[in-house]
PDB file of all heavy atoms in Angstrom:
ATOM      1  N   GLY A  50     159.993  94.723  19.014  1.00 78.00           N
ATOM      2  CA  GLY A  50     159.377  95.201  17.742  1.00 78.00           C
ATOM      3  C   GLY A  50     157.925  95.543  17.877  1.00 78.00           C
ATOM      4  O   GLY A  50     157.190  95.438  16.900  1.00 78.00           O
ATOM      5  N   LYS A  52     154.882  97.884  17.953  1.00 89.00           N
ATOM      6  CA  LYS A  52     154.619  99.270  17.506  1.00 89.00           C
ATOM      7  C   LYS A  52     153.140  99.418  17.201  1.00 89.00           C
ATOM      8  O   LYS A  52     152.636  98.725  16.340  1.00 89.00           O
ATOM      9  CB  LYS A  52     155.467  99.544  16.274  1.00 89.00           C
ATOM     10  CG  LYS A  52     155.450 101.000  15.847  1.00 89.00           C
ATOM     11  CD  LYS A  52     156.302 101.205  14.653  1.00 89.00           C
ATOM     12  CE  LYS A  52     156.027 102.557  14.007  1.00 89.00           C
ATOM     13  NZ  LYS A  52     156.607 102.698  12.690  1.00 89.00           N
ATOM     14  N   ARG A  54     149.779 101.246  15.727  1.00 93.00           N
ATOM     15  CA  ARG A  54     149.418 102.081  14.582  1.00 93.00           C
ATOM     16  C   ARG A  54     147.906 102.293  14.628  1.00 93.00           C
ATOM     17  O   ARG A  54     147.182 101.378  14.910  1.00 93.00           O
ATOM     18  CB  ARG A  54     149.760 101.381  13.257  1.00 93.00           C
ATOM     19  CG  ARG A  54     151.184 101.093  13.060  1.00 93.00           C
ATOM     20  CD  ARG A  54     151.325 100.040  11.947  1.00 93.00           C
ATOM     21  NE  ARG A  54     152.692  99.763  11.647  1.00 93.00           N
ATOM     22  CZ  ARG A  54     153.467  98.932  12.317  1.00 93.00           C
ATOM     23  NH1 ARG A  54     152.992  98.284  13.387  1.00 93.00           N
ATOM     24  NH2 ARG A  54     154.720  98.721  11.937  1.00 93.00           N
ATOM     25  N   VAL A  55     147.504 103.510  14.271  1.00 94.00           N
ATOM     26  CA  VAL A  55     146.065 103.843  14.289  1.00 94.00           C
ATOM     27  C   VAL A  55     145.712 104.716  13.098  1.00 94.00           C
ATOM     28  O   VAL A  55     146.500 105.534  12.667  1.00 94.00           O
ATOM     29  CB  VAL A  55     145.698 104.626  15.603  1.00 94.00           C
ATOM     30  CG1 VAL A  55     144.257 104.960  15.629  1.00 94.00           C
ATOM     31  CG2 VAL A  55     146.096 103.852  16.842  1.00 94.00           C
ATOM     32  N   LYS A  56     144.548 104.411  12.552  1.00 93.00           N
ATOM     33  CA  LYS A  56     144.053 105.262  11.443  1.00 93.00           C
ATOM     34  C   LYS A  56     142.685 105.797  11.805  1.00 93.00           C
ATOM     35  O   LYS A  56     141.724 105.053  11.963  1.00 93.00           O
ATOM     36  CB  LYS A  56     143.991 104.401  10.171  1.00 93.00           C
ATOM     37  CG  LYS A  56     143.770 105.209   8.916  1.00 93.00           C
ATOM     38  CD  LYS A  56     143.838 104.319   7.707  1.00 93.00           C
ATOM     39  CE  LYS A  56     143.563 105.048   6.433  1.00 93.00           C
ATOM     40  NZ  LYS A  56     143.588 104.155   5.260  1.00 93.00           N
ATOM     41  N   LYS A  70     140.675 102.142  12.439  1.00 94.00           N
ATOM     42  CA  LYS A  70     141.461 100.934  12.261  1.00 94.00           C
ATOM     43  C   LYS A  70     142.670 100.998  13.178  1.00 94.00           C
ATOM     44  O   LYS A  70     143.334 102.022  13.260  1.00 94.00           O
ATOM     45  CB  LYS A  70     141.929 100.803  10.823  1.00 94.00           C
ATOM     46  CG  LYS A  70     140.775 100.610   9.848  1.00 94.00           C
ATOM     47  CD  LYS A  70     141.310 100.546   8.413  1.00 94.00           C
ATOM     48  CE  LYS A  70     140.148 100.329   7.439  1.00 94.00           C
ATOM     49  NZ  LYS A  70     140.625 100.229   6.048  1.00 94.00           N
ATOM     50  N   THR A  71     142.929  99.908  13.863  1.00 95.00           N
ATOM     51  CA  THR A  71     144.111  99.867  14.728  1.00 95.00           C
ATOM     52  C   THR A  71     144.865  98.571  14.511  1.00 95.00           C
ATOM     53  O   THR A  71     144.281  97.559  14.178  1.00 95.00           O
ATOM     54  CB  THR A  71     143.773  99.923  16.228  1.00 95.00           C
ATOM     55  OG1 THR A  71     143.190  98.673  16.617  1.00 95.00           O
ATOM     56  CG2 THR A  71     142.738 101.006  16.523  1.00 95.00           C
ATOM     57  N   LEU A  72     146.176  98.652  14.639  1.00 93.00           N
ATOM     58  CA  LEU A  72     147.010  97.496  14.512  1.00 93.00           C
ATOM     59  C   LEU A  72     148.215  97.639  15.415  1.00 93.00           C
ATOM     60  O   LEU A  72     148.740  98.748  15.549  1.00 93.00           O
ATOM     61  CB  LEU A  72     147.467  97.372  13.067  1.00 93.00           C
ATOM     62  CG  LEU A  72     148.272  96.123  12.646  1.00 93.00           C
ATOM     63  CD1 LEU A  72     148.013  95.852  11.186  1.00 93.00           C
ATOM     64  CD2 LEU A  72     149.739  96.309  12.854  1.00 93.00           C
ATOM     65  N   ILE A  73     148.549  96.579  16.091  1.00 93.00           N
ATOM     66  CA  ILE A  73     149.819  96.614  16.872  1.00 93.00           C
ATOM     67  C   ILE A  73     150.695  95.440  16.432  1.00 93.00           C
ATOM     68  O   ILE A  73     150.199  94.326  16.373  1.00 93.00           O
ATOM     69  CB  ILE A  73     149.546  96.651  18.409  1.00 93.00           C
ATOM     70  CG1 ILE A  73     150.848  96.843  19.163  1.00 93.00           C
ATOM     71  CG2 ILE A  73     148.783  95.401  18.864  1.00 93.00           C
ATOM     72  CD1 ILE A  73     150.679  97.323  20.594  1.00 93.00           C
ATOM     73  N   SER A  74     151.901  95.747  16.057  1.00 90.00           N
ATOM     74  CA  SER A  74     152.803  94.641  15.676  1.00 90.00           C
ATOM     75  C   SER A  74     153.288  93.968  16.956  1.00 90.00           C
ATOM     76  O   SER A  74     153.830  94.628  17.860  1.00 90.00           O
ATOM     77  CB  SER A  74     153.972  95.149  14.849  1.00 90.00           C
ATOM     78  OG  SER A  74     154.572  96.255  15.472  1.00 90.00           O
ATOM     79  N   SER A 117     145.756  85.928  16.593  1.00 87.00           N
ATOM     80  CA  SER A 117     146.988  85.797  15.799  1.00 87.00           C
ATOM     81  C   SER A 117     147.918  86.994  15.988  1.00 87.00           C
ATOM     82  O   SER A 117     147.540  88.010  16.592  1.00 87.00           O
ATOM     83  CB  SER A 117     146.644  85.587  14.334  1.00 87.00           C
ATOM     84  OG  SER A 117     146.128  86.762  13.791  1.00 87.00           O
ATOM     85  N   THR A 118     149.086  86.829  15.411  1.00 87.00           N
ATOM     86  CA  THR A 118     150.129  87.852  15.487  1.00 87.00           C
ATOM     87  C   THR A 118     149.658  89.177  14.886  1.00 87.00           C
ATOM     88  O   THR A 118     148.788  89.180  14.023  1.00 87.00           O
ATOM     89  CB  THR A 118     151.385  87.322  14.814  1.00 87.00           C
ATOM     90  OG1 THR A 118     152.416  88.275  14.909  1.00 87.00           O
ATOM     91  CG2 THR A 118     151.148  87.036  13.316  1.00 87.00           C
ATOM     92  N   ASN A 119     150.196  90.273  15.349  1.00 89.00           N
ATOM     93  CA  ASN A 119     149.844  91.628  14.852  1.00 89.00           C
ATOM     94  C   ASN A 119     148.340  91.904  14.898  1.00 89.00           C
ATOM     95  O   ASN A 119     147.744  92.115  13.832  1.00 89.00           O
ATOM     96  CB  ASN A 119     150.360  91.841  13.448  1.00 89.00           C
ATOM     97  CG  ASN A 119     151.850  91.550  13.315  1.00 89.00           C
ATOM     98  OD1 ASN A 119     152.583  91.704  14.276  1.00 89.00           O
ATOM     99  ND2 ASN A 119     152.261  91.118  12.144  1.00 89.00           N
ATOM    100  N   PHE A 121     144.724  93.178  14.687  1.00 92.00           N
ATOM    101  CA  PHE A 121     144.107  94.290  13.926  1.00 92.00           C
ATOM    102  C   PHE A 121     142.679  94.435  14.395  1.00 92.00           C
ATOM    103  O   PHE A 121     141.914  93.469  14.412  1.00 92.00           O
ATOM    104  CB  PHE A 121     144.208  93.939  12.450  1.00 92.00           C
ATOM    105  CG  PHE A 121     143.508  94.877  11.541  1.00 92.00           C
ATOM    106  CD1 PHE A 121     144.211  95.932  10.936  1.00 92.00           C
ATOM    107  CD2 PHE A 121     142.160  94.751  11.214  1.00 92.00           C
ATOM    108  CE1 PHE A 121     143.576  96.811  10.044  1.00 92.00           C
ATOM    109  CE2 PHE A 121     141.531  95.606  10.332  1.00 92.00           C
ATOM    110  CZ  PHE A 121     142.238  96.646   9.763  1.00 92.00           C
ATOM    111  N   GLU A 123     139.136  96.780  13.684  1.00 94.00           N
ATOM    112  CA  GLU A 123     138.455  97.815  12.955  1.00 94.00           C
ATOM    113  C   GLU A 123     137.058  97.973  13.568  1.00 94.00           C
ATOM    114  O   GLU A 123     136.360  96.994  13.744  1.00 94.00           O
ATOM    115  CB  GLU A 123     138.343  97.436  11.476  1.00 94.00           C
ATOM    116  CG  GLU A 123     137.651  98.488  10.622  1.00 94.00           C
ATOM    117  CD  GLU A 123     137.656  98.148   9.149  1.00 94.00           C
ATOM    118  OE1 GLU A 123     138.552  97.374   8.677  1.00 94.00           O
ATOM    119  OE2 GLU A 123     136.770  98.617   8.441  1.00 94.00           O
TER     120      GLU A 123
ATOM    121  N   ASN B 169     144.927 102.000  -2.099  1.00 86.00           N
ATOM    122  CA  ASN B 169     144.763 103.207  -1.266  1.00 86.00           C
ATOM    123  C   ASN B 169     143.845 104.234  -1.903  1.00 86.00           C
ATOM    124  O   ASN B 169     144.069 105.454  -1.773  1.00 86.00           O
ATOM    125  CB  ASN B 169     146.121 103.865  -0.975  1.00 86.00           C
ATOM    126  CG  ASN B 169     147.025 102.898  -0.207  1.00 86.00           C
ATOM    127  OD1 ASN B 169     146.555 102.134   0.654  1.00 86.00           O
ATOM    128  ND2 ASN B 169     148.322 102.898  -0.541  1.00 86.00           N
ATOM    129  N   ASP B 208     144.405  98.413   0.919  1.00 91.00           N
ATOM    130  CA  ASP B 208     144.741  99.524   1.776  1.00 91.00           C
ATOM    131  C   ASP B 208     146.016  99.224   2.560  1.00 91.00           C
ATOM    132  O   ASP B 208     146.127  98.171   3.148  1.00 91.00           O
ATOM    133  CB  ASP B 208     143.561  99.777   2.755  1.00 91.00           C
ATOM    134  CG  ASP B 208     143.766 101.016   3.576  1.00 91.00           C
ATOM    135  OD1 ASP B 208     144.765 101.141   4.307  1.00 91.00           O
ATOM    136  OD2 ASP B 208     142.877 101.872   3.549  1.00 91.00           O
ATOM    137  N   ASP B 209     146.975 100.105   2.557  1.00 92.00           N
ATOM    138  CA  ASP B 209     148.254  99.847   3.185  1.00 92.00           C
ATOM    139  C   ASP B 209     148.111  99.602   4.682  1.00 92.00           C
ATOM    140  O   ASP B 209     148.880  98.890   5.280  1.00 92.00           O
ATOM    141  CB  ASP B 209     149.224 101.015   2.957  1.00 92.00           C
ATOM    142  CG  ASP B 209     149.885 100.929   1.597  1.00 92.00           C
ATOM    143  OD1 ASP B 209     149.561  99.967   0.846  1.00 92.00           O
ATOM    144  OD2 ASP B 209     150.682 101.822   1.260  1.00 92.00           O
ATOM    145  N   PHE B 210     147.117 100.238   5.275  1.00 92.00           N
ATOM    146  CA  PHE B 210     146.949 100.052   6.707  1.00 92.00           C
ATOM    147  C   PHE B 210     146.462  98.609   7.013  1.00 92.00           C
ATOM    148  O   PHE B 210     146.824  98.023   8.031  1.00 92.00           O
ATOM    149  CB  PHE B 210     145.938 101.037   7.327  1.00 92.00           C
ATOM    150  CG  PHE B 210     145.993 101.080   8.805  1.00 92.00           C
ATOM    151  CD1 PHE B 210     146.832 101.952   9.440  1.00 92.00           C
ATOM    152  CD2 PHE B 210     145.227 100.215   9.570  1.00 92.00           C
ATOM    153  CE1 PHE B 210     146.944 101.976  10.856  1.00 92.00           C
ATOM    154  CE2 PHE B 210     145.330 100.217  10.964  1.00 92.00           C
ATOM    155  CZ  PHE B 210     146.190 101.114  11.591  1.00 92.00           C
ATOM    156  N   ASP B 211     145.631  98.053   6.107  1.00 91.00           N
ATOM    157  CA  ASP B 211     145.121  96.725   6.296  1.00 91.00           C
ATOM    158  C   ASP B 211     146.127  95.638   5.879  1.00 91.00           C
ATOM    159  O   ASP B 211     145.936  94.473   6.192  1.00 91.00           O
ATOM    160  CB  ASP B 211     143.839  96.497   5.445  1.00 91.00           C
ATOM    161  CG  ASP B 211     142.717  97.442   5.863  1.00 91.00           C
ATOM    162  OD1 ASP B 211     142.982  98.303   6.717  1.00 91.00           O
ATOM    163  OD2 ASP B 211     141.615  97.280   5.374  1.00 91.00           O
ATOM    164  N   ASN B 212     147.141  96.040   5.126  1.00 93.00           N
ATOM    165  CA  ASN B 212     148.104  95.079   4.584  1.00 93.00           C
ATOM    166  C   ASN B 212     149.208  94.773   5.580  1.00 93.00           C
ATOM    167  O   ASN B 212     150.049  95.623   5.834  1.00 93.00           O
ATOM    168  CB  ASN B 212     148.716  95.683   3.312  1.00 93.00           C
ATOM    169  CG  ASN B 212     149.662  94.718   2.591  1.00 93.00           C
ATOM    170  OD1 ASN B 212     150.136  93.786   3.186  1.00 93.00           O
ATOM    171  ND2 ASN B 212     149.900  94.981   1.334  1.00 93.00           N
ATOM    172  N   PRO B 213     149.183  93.555   6.163  1.00 91.00           N
ATOM    173  CA  PRO B 213     150.166  93.256   7.191  1.00 91.00           C
ATOM    174  C   PRO B 213     151.596  93.227   6.629  1.00 91.00           C
ATOM    175  O   PRO B 213     152.537  93.341   7.382  1.00 91.00           O
ATOM    176  CB  PRO B 213     149.790  91.839   7.677  1.00 91.00           C
ATOM    177  CG  PRO B 213     148.485  91.519   7.064  1.00 91.00           C
ATOM    178  CD  PRO B 213     148.304  92.419   5.867  1.00 91.00           C
ATOM    179  N   MET B 215     152.932  95.491   5.069  1.00 94.00           N
ATOM    180  CA  MET B 215     153.516  96.828   5.223  1.00 94.00           C
ATOM    181  C   MET B 215     154.229  96.985   6.561  1.00 94.00           C
ATOM    182  O   MET B 215     155.061  97.856   6.710  1.00 94.00           O
ATOM    183  CB  MET B 215     152.425  97.884   5.058  1.00 94.00           C
ATOM    184  CG  MET B 215     151.834  97.977   3.642  1.00 94.00           C
ATOM    185  SD  MET B 215     153.056  98.124   2.356  1.00 94.00           S
ATOM    186  CE  MET B 215     153.582  99.832   2.543  1.00 94.00           C
ATOM    187  N   ILE B 216     153.893  96.131   7.537  1.00 92.00           N
ATOM    188  CA  ILE B 216     154.648  96.177   8.813  1.00 92.00           C
ATOM    189  C   ILE B 216     156.132  95.861   8.555  1.00 92.00           C
ATOM    190  O   ILE B 216     157.016  96.520   9.100  1.00 92.00           O
ATOM    191  CB  ILE B 216     154.052  95.118   9.801  1.00 92.00           C
ATOM    192  CG1 ILE B 216     152.635  95.499  10.199  1.00 92.00           C
ATOM    193  CG2 ILE B 216     154.949  94.982  11.030  1.00 92.00           C
ATOM    194  CD1 ILE B 216     151.926  94.421  10.956  1.00 92.00           C
ATOM    195  N   PHE B 217     156.354  94.871   7.651  1.00 94.00           N
ATOM    196  CA  PHE B 217     157.706  94.496   7.362  1.00 94.00           C
ATOM    197  C   PHE B 217     158.408  95.515   6.443  1.00 94.00           C
ATOM    198  O   PHE B 217     159.605  95.712   6.562  1.00 94.00           O
ATOM    199  CB  PHE B 217     157.720  93.086   6.701  1.00 94.00           C
ATOM    200  CG  PHE B 217     157.109  92.031   7.615  1.00 94.00           C
ATOM    201  CD1 PHE B 217     155.764  91.734   7.530  1.00 94.00           C
ATOM    202  CD2 PHE B 217     157.897  91.436   8.594  1.00 94.00           C
ATOM    203  CE1 PHE B 217     155.194  90.804   8.392  1.00 94.00           C
ATOM    204  CE2 PHE B 217     157.319  90.510   9.459  1.00 94.00           C
ATOM    205  CZ  PHE B 217     155.980  90.172   9.365  1.00 94.00           C
ATOM    206  N   GLU B 219     157.839  98.678   6.695  1.00 93.00           N
ATOM    207  CA  GLU B 219     158.257  99.711   7.663  1.00 93.00           C
ATOM    208  C   GLU B 219     159.570  99.350   8.338  1.00 93.00           C
ATOM    209  O   GLU B 219     160.439 100.183   8.540  1.00 93.00           O
ATOM    210  CB  GLU B 219     157.215  99.903   8.751  1.00 93.00           C
ATOM    211  CG  GLU B 219     156.184 100.979   8.430  1.00 93.00           C
ATOM    212  CD  GLU B 219     155.170 101.143   9.538  1.00 93.00           C
ATOM    213  OE1 GLU B 219     155.556 101.048  10.715  1.00 93.00           O
ATOM    214  OE2 GLU B 219     154.002 101.314   9.215  1.00 93.00           O
ATOM    215  N   GLN B 220     159.682  98.053   8.717  1.00 93.00           N
ATOM    216  CA  GLN B 220     160.906  97.606   9.399  1.00 93.00           C
ATOM    217  C   GLN B 220     162.121  97.818   8.463  1.00 93.00           C
ATOM    218  O   GLN B 220     163.190  98.275   8.885  1.00 93.00           O
ATOM    219  CB  GLN B 220     160.807  96.142   9.793  1.00 93.00           C
ATOM    220  CG  GLN B 220     159.860  95.947  10.973  1.00 93.00           C
ATOM    221  CD  GLN B 220     159.608  94.457  11.253  1.00 93.00           C
ATOM    222  OE1 GLN B 220     160.222  93.600  10.672  1.00 93.00           O
ATOM    223  NE2 GLN B 220     158.706  94.175  12.165  1.00 93.00           N
ATOM    224  N   GLU B 223     163.317 101.314   8.212  1.00 94.00           N
ATOM    225  CA  GLU B 223     164.210 101.703   9.306  1.00 94.00           C
ATOM    226  C   GLU B 223     165.628 101.241   9.028  1.00 94.00           C
ATOM    227  O   GLU B 223     166.593 101.986   9.225  1.00 94.00           O
ATOM    228  CB  GLU B 223     163.696 101.156  10.627  1.00 94.00           C
ATOM    229  CG  GLU B 223     162.501 101.981  11.190  1.00 94.00           C
ATOM    230  CD  GLU B 223     161.786 101.284  12.330  1.00 94.00           C
ATOM    231  OE1 GLU B 223     162.353 100.434  12.989  1.00 94.00           O
ATOM    232  OE2 GLU B 223     160.581 101.607  12.493  1.00 94.00           O
ATOM    233  N   TYR B 364     152.956  88.449   1.469  1.00 96.00           N
ATOM    234  CA  TYR B 364     152.637  88.155   2.871  1.00 96.00           C
ATOM    235  C   TYR B 364     151.652  86.981   2.808  1.00 96.00           C
ATOM    236  O   TYR B 364     150.591  87.120   2.222  1.00 96.00           O
ATOM    237  CB  TYR B 364     152.013  89.364   3.514  1.00 96.00           C
ATOM    238  CG  TYR B 364     151.576  89.114   4.970  1.00 96.00           C
ATOM    239  CD1 TYR B 364     152.459  89.362   5.988  1.00 96.00           C
ATOM    240  CD2 TYR B 364     150.299  88.639   5.264  1.00 96.00           C
ATOM    241  CE1 TYR B 364     152.091  89.123   7.307  1.00 96.00           C
ATOM    242  CE2 TYR B 364     149.933  88.374   6.600  1.00 96.00           C
ATOM    243  CZ  TYR B 364     150.829  88.667   7.599  1.00 96.00           C
ATOM    244  OH  TYR B 364     150.469  88.406   8.908  1.00 96.00           O
ATOM    245  N   THR B 369     152.251  84.213   8.320  1.00 87.00           N
ATOM    246  CA  THR B 369     152.258  85.595   8.829  1.00 87.00           C
ATOM    247  C   THR B 369     153.609  86.308   8.677  1.00 87.00           C
ATOM    248  O   THR B 369     154.084  86.995   9.555  1.00 87.00           O
ATOM    249  CB  THR B 369     151.836  85.672  10.314  1.00 87.00           C
ATOM    250  OG1 THR B 369     152.789  84.981  11.135  1.00 87.00           O
ATOM    251  CG2 THR B 369     150.448  85.112  10.516  1.00 87.00           C
TER     252      THR B 369
END
Side-chain angles (χ1 to χ4, degrees):
Chain A
K52 189 178 165 193
R54 298 163 176 82
V55 179
K56 191 174 178 182
K70 294 177 178 182
T71 74
L72 185 152
I73 186 162
S74 49
S117 71
T118 182
N119 306 331
F121 174 94
E123 180 175 336
Chain B
N169 299 324
D208 185 303
D209 280 359
F210 194 90
D211 297 7
N212 183 341
M215 294 308 285
I216 294 171
F217 300 93
E219 267 181 39
Q220 288 173 6
E223 282 166 24
Y364 178 89
T369 64

